[in-house]
Amino acid sequence: MENNNPVGLSQWNVFCSQHCRVWFGVVKEFDALGKCTDCFRVMRAFKPKQNDSLSEIVHSNVYYYDDERGTVTSSPRCGPWFYKEEDSTSIGFKGVKHAKWPHTKYIFFPSGSGIMFNNSALNYGSVETCIKLFLHHPKRPNIRLSLMLEYQDFNLHSFRVYLENSDGWKSDFWDQQSLSEPSSLPAENLISHQAIDSNLEISSRHESELETKKTHDTNVFSFEPANVASLFEHIQPGYLTFNPSHNVTLTCPRSMKPRERSNLEATSPTSLSSPVSPSNLNSFVGVRWSLRADGLSTDFVAQFDTDTRFMNLTELVYSSVPLNSL
């Protein structure tokens, strides 16, 4: 059957190629003050329902605790959930539809990095906003850093950090990360800058190129590198900053309560050419991941409008080596 939503099909293909595997990870849970409240392991499996077809993907989780909880294979958090291609490639849908929560979707870059977001209390009970960011290692497709934030009564309630790899429980990469010297500074040389908006329009460029490549005639970029850097180097009013793991910095709003537009300066989020300030920024969640052992770092920023609806996602990748030396 002919697919009439090629953009949706592209998102589904990224989901299948970059995420459909078995992920082994350590999960750390934190409260709104940044105190670690739990730590455990999880195996997250995304597999085709039928071996010869990617039209339906089954997701299941197994949790491993070192206390009396032991191994958990059956609970509401374990699934299974069934992702269907037809749900994510239907006309008008943009992204990959969550298998359980109809108002929740994933949006991915071609590399697999992306965001899952939800703005409906119908899905999560008292959690009005749930955001999960997926950062794939720029050069190691088996390594993924994920962060999930939950807001209750519009205020940050908790967040989780997932240190994942798809090669098994033993991970030399994450072991090296835990031993490396902590750093909150990015590498010096910008080698990649890309952004995607809620319409799935992607802009991408490399510093070796003189022009920006876009999928459509529109300016998807909402942040320039200097602006992104300022989000991590200066704590914005109303924001919290955490270092939940070695070489990982998270900055996010204390509250995601929708704001009255009449009380805000009317500015375009796609025209931020001056230093970022609360008056010209809606709201954002940012992650800086410093990969010291690989000479790389990633800045990852999701922007939301005044009604806490997702607007765009920006990713900047830096290297300690100039691009022309790579």
Side-chain angles (χ1 to χ4, degrees):
M1 181 174 63
E2 181 182 359
N3 187 284
N4 294 315
N5 183 5
V7 176
L9 180 61
S10 175
Q11 287 285 297
W12 177 260
N13 289 341
V14 172
F15 172 64
C16 291
S17 64
Q18 302 297 330
H19 293 271
C20 291
R21 59 191 72 175
V22 179
W23 294 96
F24 303 84
V26 174
V27 184
K28 297 180 180 180
E29 292 189 351
F30 299 83
D31 63 18
L33 298 177
K35 178 182 178 181
C36 185
T37 58
D38 205 355
C39 182
F40 52 90
R41 293 179 299 144
V42 62
M43 182 176 68
R44 295 158 44 82
F46 295 80
K47 298 180 178 180
K49 186 177 181 181
Q50 298 180 354
N51 291 334
D52 58 347
S53 174
L54 292 176
S55 62
E56 188 170 4
I57 303 299
V58 182
H59 170 202
S60 60
N61 298 330
V62 178
Y63 295 87
Y64 302 88
Y65 298 92
D66 292 332
D67 55 22
E68 66 278 0
R69 290 172 291 181
T71 300
V72 179
T73 60
S74 179
S75 81
R77 296 174 63 190
C78 293
W81 299 280
F82 299 88
Y83 290 81
K84 297 181 179 180
E85 178 183 353
E86 61 187 26
D87 293 337
S88 298
T89 58
S90 58
I91 296 298
F93 192 81
K94 297 176 180 178
V96 173
K97 183 177 290 186
H98 195 282
K100 183 178 180 181
W101 300 296
H103 297 286
T104 302
K105 68 166 66 174
Y106 301 82
I107 288 179
F108 300 113
F109 288 116
S111 65
S113 295
I115 182 172
M116 182 199 83
F117 58 93
N118 162 272
N119 298 118
S120 173
L122 296 173
N123 293 342
Y124 286 90
S126 60
V127 179
E128 299 93 355
T129 300
C130 179
I131 303 164
K132 190 169 186 179
L133 300 174
F134 303 89
L135 286 74
H136 279 230
H137 190 291
K139 295 186 177 181
R140 300 179 188 232
N142 63 309
I143 297 295
R144 185 173 74 176
L145 169 71
S146 305
L147 295 95
M148 186 172 185
L149 297 85
E150 293 184 346
Y151 286 79
Q152 292 186 11
D153 297 325
F154 302 108
N155 295 314
L156 180 67
H157 176 263
S158 61
F159 64 93
R160 302 186 191 106
V161 178
Y162 300 73
L163 312 178
E164 299 176 294
N165 85 96
S166 59
D167 288 340
W169 289 115
K170 175 63 177 176
S171 175
D172 292 338
F173 171 82
W174 288 116
D175 290 344
Q176 292 173 5
Q177 280 279 289
S178 64
L179 296 174
S180 63
E181 181 181 350
S183 174
S184 60
L185 297 176
E188 296 179 354
N189 304 287
L190 179 64
I191 60 173
S192 175
H193 182 187
Q194 61 180 341
I196 187 170
D197 67 10
S198 59
N199 291 317
L200 306 185
E201 295 179 355
I202 298 177
S203 290
S204 63
R205 72 182 179 206
H206 295 274
E207 293 306 290
S208 62
E209 300 169 346
L210 297 178
E211 62 181 0
T212 298
K213 294 182 180 179
K214 303 176 184 178
T215 56
H216 298 275
D217 187 18
T218 182
N219 181 15
V220 179
F221 286 121
S222 59
F223 291 108
E224 287 302 313
N227 292 334
V228 172
S230 71
L231 301 180
F232 296 97
E233 294 163 6
H234 307 283
I235 298 178
Q236 307 293 324
Y239 281 73
L240 301 168
T241 296
F242 306 99
N243 293 103
S245 185
H246 244 56
N247 300 315
V248 174
T249 301
L250 168 67
T251 182
C252 61
R254 186 186 305 272
S255 171
M256 288 288 280
K257 186 175 182 179
R259 291 165 287 172
E260 294 293 334
R261 293 182 181 276
S262 58
N263 294 333
L264 296 174
E265 178 183 348
T267 60
S268 169
T270 60
S271 62
L272 296 179
S273 58
S274 58
V276 175
S277 68
S279 64
N280 64 7
L281 182 65
N282 293 315
S283 62
F284 71 92
V285 174
V287 178
R288 171 169 285 176
W289 187 15
S290 179
L291 304 162
R292 294 289 296 274
D294 296 316
L296 298 166
S297 63
T298 297
D299 285 350
F300 208 66
V301 180
Q303 188 177 6
F304 302 84
D305 68 11
T306 53
D307 293 322
T308 70
R309 292 175 301 194
F310 171 76
M311 295 179 66
N312 48 60
L313 186 65
T314 300
E315 181 186 57
L316 303 173
V317 179
Y318 296 85
S319 173
S320 58
V321 180
L323 185 63
N324 56 15
S325 300
L326 296 177

